[in-house]
């Protein structure tokens, strides 16, 4: 059941594909997002999106990180911010959401290109990662997080 639910959610992410049938088009999910999505992730049975966007289609502030509440995209902990701010990758590791990209704030917490969302608050793993282009890839393999 859970895999079916995840497949169903992933099939409607951001746009609902209509299998390229003539007369059909891509349709935004909820109010949509203001810019590009770079990464999608399921954390605690909820779909999260990270990317270049700042708001949803209603103008609600998201700051690069949003979760789907079943009706629309909503903000998560104040999102991320920085001189050049965006999220490239999301990964779940040990029941926490790791957020990677190019940013120096997660909510009100000072971070460096990587942050951890535990569902209530932000933290910075080991002072972050000092790399000019930020984090470009992140994944979990054999119970290890690779960045």
């Amino acid at each position: 059941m859970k895999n079916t639910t995840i497949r169903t959610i992933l099939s409607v992410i951001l746009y609902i594909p209509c299998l390229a049938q003539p007369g059909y088009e891509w349709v935004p999910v909820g109010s949509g997002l203001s810019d590009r999505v770079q990464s999608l992730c399921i954390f605690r049975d909820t779909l999260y999106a990270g990317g270049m966007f700042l708001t949803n289609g209603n103008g609600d502030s998201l700051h690069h990180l949003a979760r789907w509440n079943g009706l629309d995209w909503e903000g998560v902990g104040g999102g991320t911010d920085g001189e050049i701010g965006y999220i490239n990758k999301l990964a779940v590791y040990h029941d926490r959401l790791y957020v990677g990209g190019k940013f120096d704030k997660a909510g009100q917490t000072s971070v460096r290109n990587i942050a951890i969302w535990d569902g209530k608050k932000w933290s910075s793993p080991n002072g972050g990662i000092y790399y000019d282009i930020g984090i470009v890839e992140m994944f979990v393999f054999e119970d290890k997080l690779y960045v």
Side-chain angles (χ1 to χ4, degrees):
M1 176 67 176
K2 189 172 185 176
N3 284 342
T4 302
T5 302
I6 290 171
R7 277 194 300 271
T8 301
I9 289 170
L10 292 177
S11 70
V12 296
I13 292 172
L14 305 182
Y15 292 91
I16 300 171
C18 295
L19 303 176
Q21 297 177 16
Y24 289 89
E25 60 185 77
W26 294 85
V27 179
V29 172
S31 64
L33 296 166
S34 66
D35 205 341
R36 188 171 56 228
V37 172
Q38 302 285 90
S39 186
L40 298 165
C41 189
I42 303 291
F43 174 57
R44 296 183 182 166
D45 295 323
T46 301
L47 176 64
Y48 285 72
M52 307 293 279
F53 55 87
L54 293 174
T55 65
N56 64 17
N58 294 323
D60 300 327
S61 180
L62 302 176
H63 288 276
H64 315 290
L65 183 64
R67 70 178 152 228
W68 179 249
N69 66 16
L71 299 173
D72 208 351
W73 297 101
E74 64 184 16
V76 179
T80 63
D81 206 3
E83 184 177 330
I84 303 171
Y86 55 85
I87 292 173
N88 273 335
K89 295 295 175 182
L90 302 174
V92 175
Y93 181 63
H94 292 181
D95 196 39
R96 296 182 293 178
L97 180 65
Y98 281 72
V99 177
K102 180 75 173 153
F103 50 88
D104 55 24
K105 288 271 190 196
Q108 297 300 312
T109 303
S110 291
V111 296
R112 183 66 172 183
N113 300 325
I114 187 169
I116 302 169
W117 176 250
D118 69 4
K120 294 181 181 179
K121 65 181 178 358
W122 290 103
S123 61
S124 176
N126 300 320
I129 294 177
Y130 294 86
Y131 191 54
D132 287 342
I133 63 169
I135 292 175
V136 295
E137 187 60 78
M138 183 167 53
F139 62 93
V140 176
F141 179 69
E142 294 185 348
D143 201 37
K144 293 181 182 163
L145 177 67
Y146 293 85
V147 179

